[in-house]
Amino acid sequence: MGIVIDTSALVSLERGGRSWDTALPDVSPEPGVVPAIVYAELLIGVRLADTPRRANARRAKINALIAVAPIVDFGEAAARRWSELYAALGKLGRMIPSNDLAVAATALELGFGVLVGPKDESHFRSVPDLNVSVLSPS
């Protein structure tokens, strides 16, 4: 099995002063991947940087991350899984944020779990059959 890395885990690592690319092997023995939606969320930080220097530094961090945890596309199979989850959770009245639903659909389609930050992101637990690992606070 592997692990799909949620943005909340990356934010927590960064706030703890840990480099994403070097911290991941310590955090999870499972191979990690970055869902396309998480990659997009990280790129927002590049686009919103207040200086070119900060934008370049953020881009370098992202490049180092995806060198050890490749980007996984949100393709047809994940899209089908997303729609199934959306319908099922909607019927139960337990909808979760759309980006997190894409993370969950990607993980389930790959047969992977999801790594979230230490604040838990408990809404992921609404997704049937999803293995959620919580990053230990550092």
Side-chain angles (χ1 to χ4, degrees):
M1 185 155 85
I3 199 87
V4 168
I5 305 159
D6 182 55
T7 308
S8 63
L10 296 170
V11 168
S12 176
L13 288 170
E14 182 172 31
R15 287 184 179 159
R18 299 177 72 189
S19 173
W20 296 336
D21 57 322
T22 59
L24 286 178
D26 296 335
V27 169
S28 174
E30 305 289 341
V33 297
V34 175
I37 193 64
V38 169
Y39 179 66
E41 290 174 343
L42 296 175
L43 290 175
I44 291 170
V46 174
R47 301 220 184 269
L48 295 178
D50 55 355
T51 66
R53 182 176 174 206
R54 184 167 285 158
N56 290 336
R58 289 177 178 174
R59 184 69 189 154
K61 286 176 61 173
I62 295 168
N63 289 343
L65 170 65
I66 62 175
V68 298
I71 299 168
V72 177
D73 288 334
F74 186 79
E76 182 180 344
R80 272 196 308 275
R81 183 69 67 116
W82 186 94
S83 70
E84 292 165 4
L85 292 172
Y86 187 98
L89 293 174
K91 286 178 185 176
L92 296 172
R94 298 189 322 204
M95 191 53 63
I96 69 173
S98 291
N99 286 1
D100 289 344
L101 193 60
V103 170
T106 300
L108 287 171
E109 197 53 41
L110 294 171
F112 284 13
V114 173
L115 177 66
V116 298
K119 292 186 180 177
D120 190 6
E121 302 288 323
S122 62
H123 56 267
F124 276 107
R125 298 195 193 303
S126 297
V127 179
D129 303 318
L130 182 64
N131 180 14
V132 180
S133 298
V134 179
L135 184 67
S136 300
S138 49

